[in-house]
Amino acid sequence: MPFTDILIMIAETVGVTALATLFAYVLGLPCGVLLNVTGKNGLKPCKWLNTLVGLIVNILRSIPCLIIIVLCIPLTREIFGRGTGEWYTILIPLTVCAFGFVSRMVEQSLAEVPAGEIEAIKSLGATDFQVIMKVLLPEARVSLVTGVAVVAVSILGYTSFAYNIGAGGLISGIYTFYTRHTGDYLGKFIFWVMIVLVVLIVQGIQELGLFIAKKLDKRKILK
Amino acid sequence: MIEIKNLEKIYPSKTGGFVALKDINLTVEDGDIYGIIGLSGAGKSTLVRCINLLEKPTSGQILIDGEDLTKVSKKRLLQLRRNISMIFQQFNLLQQRNVLKNVELAGEIAGNKNPTEKAIELLKLVGLEDKLNSYPAELSGGQQQRVAIARALMTNPKVLLCDEATSALDPETTHSILELLKSLNKKLNLTIVIISHQMSVIEAICNKVAILDKSGIVSNGYLQDVFLSPTNEVAKKLIYSGHVNTGIKGEKFVKLMFTGEVDKPIVSNVITELKISVSIMYAETKLINDRVCGQVIFRLPNYSEDIVKLTDYLTRENVPFEEVDSDALY
Ligand SMILES: Nc1ncnc2c1ncn2[C@@H]1O[C@H](COP(=O)(O)OP(=O)(O)OP(=O)(O)O)[C@@H](O)[C@H]1O
Ligand SMILES: [Mg+2]
C-alpha cells in the first residue's frame, strides 16, 4: 500500500472527525443550552419544551449509528449529489449521530456552573440572554472543552462505519486491508502501522483537549 | 426606601407547601443599616431574596421608593435590580474571570460600554487596586468579598443586600469588611440590609434590627431598644446566648439598662451608699449607634429586704430597669 494512500486516509479521518464534531456542536450547543435553560433548575423552566427536546435527543441517541447512516443516505444524496462512496457522504450521518450526545454533554456541563454565580449576576439585573452568554457558557468552558474531546473521540470511532458506505478513512482502510489479506494480515507491518496511527490520533485529540482546558481553567481544578 | 408589606412566601411541596415567611412588615429608610437576625432556617435568606425578587413572593408587596416590585414588568424589574445590589456568603465571583473583568461585567450588564475606569476606581475604593489581574481562586475570602462589593457597587445601587456576607470569614476579616460597609454607608449614603445569625455583626454596624423567628418578625426597631430589652425567647437567646448561664432557677434578678444618658457611678452607689449587697450575674457595655449602651444584671442575696430600696433609687436616678426571671436567661 503506497504511503500517499495512508496520508489520504489520515486526512479523511481527521477531516471528517473535525467537521462532524464542528457541525454536531453547531446544532448541539444551542440544543444543550435550551435543555439546561428550560430544565427544572434552569433559568426559565418550561416543562413541555424540555420534555419535547429531551425526547428527540433521547430517540436520536438510541438509534444505532449504522441505522442512522442508512437513514441519512437520501438526504446526503439530496445535498451532495451522491449518497455513498466519497469521504463527505458520512458527514451528515455522523453529525446526526453525535448531535444528541453533544446536547446532553453541553446540558451537563452547564449544570455544573454554581447556582450562586448565576444568582449573583441575575441580582445585577442581567437578562437571561446575558446570563447565558456571560456566565453559563464562559464559566462552563473547561468542562465544555473536555466534552469536545470526548465527542471527537467517539465520532472518530463512528468513522468505522465509513466502510459500509465506502466513505474511506483510516479505520475503514484497516478493515479493507484485512479483507484483502485475511490469511496473514497480522503479520503485515503496514497493518500495525495503521493501528498505531489511529491510537496516536485519539491520543492527540485527548491531549489537545486537556491542554486547552488547562489553559482556560482559572479555577485551577485540573491538575 | 424599602417597604415590605404583608409579605408571605410559601415554598410549594408535596404536603401542601412550606411557609417560609408570613406577615412580614418592615420599612427600611434611606441610609439605614438594617440588620435581620435569626436562627438557622428562620427565613432570613428567603426574606432578603424576596427584596430583589430573586425569590417571588407568594403574596404581599415590596415597594422600592413607592414602586411595587411584584407588579412591575420584567424589563423594569431588571432595571430596578440595579438599584438593589447584593453580596453573598460564598462571594459568588465568576471563577473564570479575573478581578477587573468580574467588576466590569456588572457595568456591561447595566449598559456601560466603557466600564474599565469605573471598575478600577471601585476596586481602589475597596483596597484591591493591586489585584486587578488576579483570579478569584488566587484571593483570600476577605479579598473575594471586597471584589464582590466592588462589583455590587458598579451599578450605582441605592441599596446593598448582604446575605451572611461575613459568615465565611474570620473575626478580623469580618471586622474589616464591616468597617468597609459602614464607610460606604456614610460615603455613598448607601442603604444596607444585612442578614446574619451573629449578634456581634449586627451590633457592630446596624442602626436598626429585626429579629426573625419561625418565618415571622418577632421584634424590630432601633438596635439599642431591641438589644436592651429583648422581649421574647429568640431575642434573649441571640443576645445572652453563651454569656449568661447561672444555673439558678426560680429567682428574680434585676436588670439595669444604660443608654449613655446617666452620668453617675450607679453600680458603686448601690453598693456603697445604699449598702445593698449584690452579685453581678451579667454585665456588658457596647458601642451602639455611637452611644455607650450597657446592661447589668444583679442578683440580690437579700432580695425581700433590698428590692424596694433599690427600685426607689433607680427610679429616682432615671435608670431604666426591670425584673427578670433567672430561668429566662440562657
Ligand atoms: N427553594 C426552597 N424550596 C423549599 N424550601 C425552601 C427553599 N429555600 C428555603 N426553604 C426553606 O425555607 C426555610 C427558610 O430558609 P432560609 O434559607 O431562608 O433560612 P435562613 O434563615 O437563611 O437560614 P440560614 O441561617 O441557615 O441560612 C428553611 O426551612 C428552608 O428549608
Ligand atoms: Mg441563609
Side-chain angles (χ1 to χ4, degrees):
Chain A
M1 189 180 289
F3 183 59
T4 47
D5 281 3
I6 294 186
L7 277 188
I8 289 171
M9 285 192 271
I10 293 175
E12 282 170 349
T13 295
V14 172
V16 162
T17 302
L19 284 174
T21 306
L22 178 71
F23 295 148
Y25 268 89
V26 168
L27 298 175
L29 189 69
C31 187
V33 171
L34 188 72
L35 281 172
N36 177 277
V37 168
T38 58
K40 209 168 96 207
N41 300 316
L43 281 174
K44 269 222 166 321
C46 176
K47 195 150 182 225
W48 70 266
L49 188 58
N50 191 267
T51 314
L52 180 73
V53 178
L55 192 69
I56 296 172
V57 161
N58 286 349
I59 290 174
L60 274 183
R61 285 188 64 188
S62 39
I63 305 176
C65 193
L66 187 60
I67 313 290
I68 289 184
I69 288 174
V70 175
L71 290 174
C72 283
I73 289 176
L75 179 65
T76 303
R77 189 175 294 134
E78 196 63 34
I79 292 173
F80 293 107
R82 58 185 304 169
T84 58
E86 284 292 344
W87 67 271
Y88 49 77
T89 53
I90 199 164
L91 272 181
I92 291 178
L94 285 190
T95 304
V96 176
C97 279
F99 159 77
F101 182 37
V102 170
S103 301
R104 289 295 183 199
M105 297 272 286
V106 170
E107 180 191 18
Q108 186 56 44
S109 296
L110 299 187
E112 285 162 21
V113 176
E117 292 184 19
I118 297 167
E119 188 143 89
I121 302 306
K122 275 171 86 171
S123 78
L124 292 165
T127 61
D128 291 337
F129 185 70
Q130 282 173 322
V131 172
I132 294 169
M133 300 309 286
K134 308 277 184 186
V135 187
L136 277 182
L137 291 172
E139 288 294 302
R141 64 190 188 187
V142 175
S143 167
L144 286 172
V145 166
T146 30
V148 172
V150 172
V151 168
V153 169
S154 13
I155 288 185
L156 188 121
Y158 292 151
T159 63
S160 319
F161 297 115
Y163 178 80
N164 301 81
I165 58 169
L170 196 54
I171 301 176
S172 92
I174 294 172
Y175 192 76
T176 311
F177 185 88
Y178 153 75
T179 58
R180 294 193 188 142
H181 306 83
T182 33
D184 58 349
Y185 66 100
L186 285 177
K188 299 281 185 193
F189 179 64
I190 194 77
F191 179 79
W192 293 105
V193 168
M194 288 196 287
I195 288 178
V196 168
L197 284 172
V198 173
V199 172
L200 285 180
I201 294 173
V202 171
Q203 288 303 311
I205 294 172
Q206 273 167 356
E207 288 301 316
L208 183 68
L210 202 60
F211 175 77
I212 299 176
K214 266 189 194 161
K215 268 258 176 298
L216 288 176
D217 182 25
K218 305 302 180 187
R219 203 169 34 145
K220 311 257 183 301
I221 39 165
L222 292 180
K223 289 273 147 36
Chain B
M1 185 162 80
I2 308 171
E3 295 160 278
I4 303 173
K5 292 188 177 162
N6 302 319
L7 176 69
E8 185 181 56
K9 173 72 194 179
I10 302 175
Y11 286 112
S13 78
K14 287 196 183 78
T15 51
F18 177 80
V19 182
L21 293 174
K22 58 174 189 279
D23 276 338
I24 305 287
N25 286 286
L26 202 64
T27 302
V28 181
E29 310 271 357
D30 289 344
D32 273 350
I33 303 186
Y34 211 118
I36 296 174
I37 184 166
L39 303 172
S40 187
K44 306 180 297 291
S45 297
T46 307
L47 174 56
V48 79
R49 289 156 47 81
C50 277
I51 296 180
N52 59 3
L53 238 68
L54 279 178
E55 204 68 73
K56 202 170 161 29
T58 309
S59 66
Q61 296 174 298
I62 309 282
L63 300 167
I64 305 290
D65 294 331
E67 206 168 344
D68 187 354
L69 280 195
T70 63
K71 301 231 162 51
V72 298
S73 69
K74 171 100 201 227
K75 186 154 170 252
R76 181 72 185 138
L77 174 63
L78 296 186
Q79 274 172 2
L80 286 172
R81 274 198 188 143
R82 288 174 205 152
N83 296 338
I84 322 165
S85 285
M86 189 165 180
I87 58 174
F88 306 83
Q89 179 172 5
Q90 294 308 330
F91 326 125
N92 293 343
L93 298 175
L94 300 191
Q95 298 290 313
Q96 308 292 5
R97 284 175 176 253
N98 67 24
V99 165
L100 181 59
K101 292 232 161 67
N102 259 289
V103 179
E104 282 176 351
L105 177 61
E108 284 168 34
I109 286 168
N112 181 350
K113 294 268 184 297
N114 264 319
T116 311
E117 201 176 318
K118 176 152 194 207
I120 293 177
E121 190 187 306
L122 286 173
L123 283 164
K124 267 192 196 136
L125 183 67
V126 300
L128 280 183
E129 63 268 36
D130 54 339
K131 296 281 182 194
L132 300 185
N133 297 315
S134 303
Y135 285 88
E138 301 161 351
L139 300 180
S140 71
Q143 288 170 330
Q144 289 192 55
Q145 196 60 287
R146 283 168 188 273
V147 178
I149 292 171
R151 174 172 74 175
L153 295 177
M154 214 38 205
T155 57
N156 297 321
K158 283 191 230 148
V159 180
L160 181 66
L161 307 175
C162 314
D163 188 359
E164 302 273 6
T166 57
S167 299
L169 306 173
D170 63 52
E172 206 158 305
T173 317
T174 295
H175 178 75
S176 78
I177 293 287
L178 292 177
E179 285 303 310
L180 173 63
L181 290 176
K182 217 173 190 169
S183 79
L184 294 174
N185 168 260
K186 294 236 162 64
K187 233 185 267 180
L188 312 172
N189 195 31
L190 186 67
T191 306
I192 298 178
V193 177
I194 187 161
I195 302 276
S196 184
H197 61 268
Q198 290 170 296
M199 201 60 197
S200 59
V201 168
I202 305 287
E203 278 163 8
I205 164 167
C206 298
N207 65 333
K208 293 180 190 161
V209 62
I211 297 181
L212 203 60
D213 182 44
K214 299 194 187 74
S215 318
I217 290 180
V218 289
S219 67
N220 68 315
Y222 282 98
L223 183 57
Q224 59 268 39
D225 300 337
V226 176
F227 168 69
L228 286 177
S229 339
T231 50
N232 60 73
E233 293 307 302
V234 196
K236 283 179 189 158
K237 201 173 206 158
L238 286 163
I239 291 163
Y240 296 122
S241 171
H243 299 295
V244 190
N245 191 356
T246 59
I248 297 167
K249 302 243 182 281
E251 273 191 39
K252 287 240 176 278
F253 292 161
V254 181
K255 181 172 77 172
L256 285 59
M257 292 165 268
F258 301 95
T259 51
E261 280 134 14
V262 184
D263 191 22
K264 273 191 186 169
I266 296 294
V267 175
S268 99
N269 285 355
V270 165
I271 298 166
T272 57
E273 288 181 16
L274 277 73
K275 304 235 175 337
I276 299 176
S277 63
V278 301
S279 315
I280 294 175
M281 307 309 294
Y282 178 73
E284 69 170 343
T285 53
K286 287 188 168 146
L287 201 59
I288 291 176
N289 293 341
D290 296 325
R291 274 173 29 193
V292 179
C293 293
Q295 48 190 322
V296 180
I297 297 176
F298 284 162
R299 179 189 192 194
L300 305 178
N302 310 314
Y303 183 85
S304 43
E305 292 156 40
D306 291 337
I307 183 67
V308 180
K309 215 160 47 166
L310 178 65
T311 52
D312 280 354
Y313 173 73
L314 294 175
T315 316
R316 213 161 52 236
E317 296 292 344
N318 268 329
V319 178
F321 68 93
E322 66 189 30
E323 287 188 68
V324 290
D325 289 331
S326 63
D327 317 41
L329 301 172
Y330 290 84

